[in-house]
C-alpha cells in the first residue's frame, strides 16, 4: 500500500561530504571530483533504474552534464562548512509502475522546485521492490545564463519544507487518481490524523540484508525499534480493530480482505 515518506537534508562540506560523490552514488555513476582529485565510482551499485537532470528556463546547457554540474557547485563554494546541495528522499507509491513513478517525480520537481530556479538531479532506486524511492539533489544558488549566482536564502525557510511535504502528497494523489487507484497518501502525522498507531521507523537497508546478521550497531538498533513498534501497534489493533479500519480509510475509501491483510502484515 502507498505510504508517505519525504525527508530533506543538506549535503554539507562541514560534514565531510562532497556534492560530486553524492551525485555519483545516487545515480550509480563514476564521476571525477576535481576538488579532491579522485573519481567516485559507484557503477556497481544496483537498483538505480532511472536518473535525470531537470533544468530551469535559461540555464546553460552544461548544467545537464552531471559531472560538470556538481564540480561547478563545489568550485563555487569556498567555505570549509559550505552547504553544497539539498537532498530530498521520497517514497514512491507501490501502486504506480516504474514509468508512472518517474513521471510523478518529474512532475513534482518541475512544478515546485525547477520552476523556482533550482536544478534538480534525481534518481529512482528500485533495489527493494517493496520500497521504490527517489533521491533528489537540488542546487542552492540562483541560476543565470553564465552559471550560478547568489545563494537563495529563502529556499531554507521551514515553511517551504512544510509546503513541499504537503504538495508531494497532493501530487502523488493526483497521479494515483489518474492511474485509476483509490489509495491516497497523507503528509500529516498519525497523531494529526487522530490515528493511535505509532509511525514506523525507516531502517535504510533491505529485508535481505537485515537477515544476514553482523549489521552495524545503529542499523541493528533501528531494526529492533521497528520490531517494537510493529509489536505494540499490533497489540493496539488486537485490542481495538477499529484502529486499523480508521487508519485504512485515511488511505482509501474502499478496500478488500487482501488489502487488510497487507496492512496488518506491516
Amino acid at each position: 500500500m502507498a505510504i508517505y515518506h519525504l525527508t530533506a537534508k543538506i549535503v554539507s562540506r562541514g560534514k565531510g561530504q562532497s556534492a560530486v560523490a553524492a551525485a555519483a552514488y545516487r545515480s550509480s555513476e563514476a564521476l571525477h571530483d576535481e576538488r579532491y582529485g579522485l573519481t567516485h565510482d559507484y557503477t556497481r551499485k544496483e537498483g538505480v533504474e532511472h536518473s535525470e537532470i531537470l533544468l530551469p528556463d535559461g540555464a546553460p546547457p552544461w548544467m545537464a552534464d552531471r559531472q560538470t554540474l556538481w564540480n561547478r557547485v563545489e568550485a563555487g563554494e569556498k567555505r570549509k562548512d559550505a552547504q553544497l546541495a539539498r537532498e530530498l528522499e521520497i517514497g514512491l507509491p507501490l501502486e504506480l509502475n516504474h514509468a508512472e513513478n518517474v513521471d510523478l517525480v518529474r512532475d513534482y520537481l518541475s512544478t515546485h522546485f525547477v520552476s523556482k530556479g533550482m536544478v534538480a538531479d534525481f534518481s529512482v532506486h528500485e533495489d527493494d521492490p517493496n520500497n521504490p524511492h527517489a533521491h533528489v539533489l537540488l542546487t542552492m544558488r540562483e541560476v543565470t545564463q553564465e552559471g550560478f549566482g547568489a545563494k537563495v536564502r529563502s529556499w531554507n525557510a521551514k515553511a517551504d519544507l512544510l509546503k513541499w511535504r504537503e504538495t508531494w502528497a497532493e501530487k502523488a494523489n493526483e497521479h494515483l487518481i489518474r492511474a485509476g487507484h483509490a489509495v491516497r497518501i497523507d503528509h500529516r502525522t498519525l497523531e494529526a490524523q487522530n490515528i493511535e498507531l505509532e509511525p514506523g521507523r525507516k531502517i535504510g537497508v533491505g529485508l535481505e540484508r537485515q537477515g544476514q546478521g553482523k549489521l552495524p550497531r545503529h542499523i541493528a538498533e533501528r531494526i529492533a525499534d521497528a520490531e517494537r513498534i510493529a509489536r505494540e501497534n499490533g497489540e493496539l489493533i488486537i485490542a481495538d480493530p477499529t484502529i486499523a479500519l480508521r487508519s485504512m480509510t485515511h488511505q482509501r475509501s474502499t478496500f478488500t480482505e487482501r488489502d487488510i491483510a497487507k496492512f496488518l502484515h506491516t
Side-chain angles (χ1 to χ4, degrees):
M1 296 174 64
I3 59 172
Y4 183 91
H5 175 73
L6 187 150
T7 59
K9 59 185 177 182
I10 298 296
V11 177
S12 170
R13 189 176 290 157
K15 299 176 183 177
Q17 297 172 321
S18 158
V20 179
Y25 180 79
R26 285 149 185 78
S27 63
S28 185
E29 292 185 4
L31 302 180
H32 183 71
D33 194 324
E34 296 172 2
R35 178 180 178 85
Y36 299 100
L38 53 85
T39 297
H40 306 285
D41 188 349
Y42 292 102
T43 52
R44 293 185 179 181
K45 178 176 172 56
E46 298 180 351
V48 181
E49 300 300 328
H50 181 89
S51 292
E52 183 175 342
I53 294 176
L54 304 174
L55 301 180
D57 292 339
W62 57 259
M63 287 188 177
D65 179 81
R66 184 167 286 112
Q67 180 169 279
T68 303
L69 169 67
W70 295 110
N71 271 301
R72 294 285 185 92
V73 166
E74 285 279 358
E77 303 295 342
K78 307 305 180 184
R79 294 173 58 101
K80 293 181 180 179
D81 60 349
Q83 294 185 340
L84 304 168
R86 177 174 288 103
E87 180 186 9
L88 303 181
E89 182 180 300
I90 309 172
L92 303 177
L94 287 169
E95 288 77 6
L96 300 181
N97 61 35
H98 171 76
E100 290 169 338
N101 270 325
V102 170
D103 183 55
L104 164 58
V105 175
R106 187 185 294 127
D107 186 11
Y108 172 64
L109 296 177
S110 298
T111 302
H112 298 290
F113 300 92
V114 180
S115 64
K116 293 178 172 61
M118 304 179 208
V119 178
D121 181 0
F122 78 92
S123 296
V124 173
H125 291 201
E126 298 177 357
D127 47 314
D128 181 350
N130 295 311
N131 181 33
H133 57 281
H135 289 276
V136 185
L137 290 175
L138 300 165
T139 55
M140 305 182 72
R141 291 181 175 272
E142 65 178 355
V143 172
T144 70
Q145 292 183 342
E146 291 72 34
F148 290 110
K151 282 235 171 127
V152 184
R153 302 299 179 184
S154 62
W155 292 343
N156 289 329
K158 184 177 180 180
D160 275 356
L161 174 58
L162 296 175
K163 189 65 177 177
W164 297 339
R165 289 178 56 81
E166 179 181 355
T167 53
W168 167 250
E170 293 173 351
K171 186 63 71 174
N173 289 336
E174 175 187 321
H175 281 248
L176 285 164
I177 292 170
R178 186 184 306 168
H181 299 288
V183 66
R184 303 290 180 267
I185 63 173
D186 194 319
H187 70 287
R188 297 174 298 166
T189 64
L190 294 179
E191 182 180 6
Q193 298 175 55
N194 293 316
I195 296 172
E196 297 91 330
L197 301 177
E198 182 178 354
R201 299 286 186 266
K202 181 173 177 58
I203 296 174
V205 297
L207 290 174
E208 182 178 350
R209 187 184 171 197
Q210 290 179 37
Q212 291 177 351
K214 296 183 180 180
L215 293 169
R217 180 178 177 179
H218 68 285
I219 297 294
E221 289 175 348
R222 286 184 205 168
I223 294 172
D225 198 35
E227 291 174 346
R228 175 193 62 79
I229 293 170
R231 180 176 63 255
E232 292 178 356
N233 283 341
E235 291 169 352
L236 285 173
I237 291 171
I238 290 171
D240 182 4
T242 63
I243 293 175
L245 296 177
R246 287 199 300 274
S247 179
M248 293 190 68
T249 54
H250 275 79
Q251 297 179 316
R252 60 174 73 211
S253 57
T254 61
F255 40 83
T256 65
E257 287 187 16
R258 184 171 181 271
D259 294 328
I260 295 174
K262 289 173 64 178
F263 176 84
L264 293 177
H265 178 69
T266 65

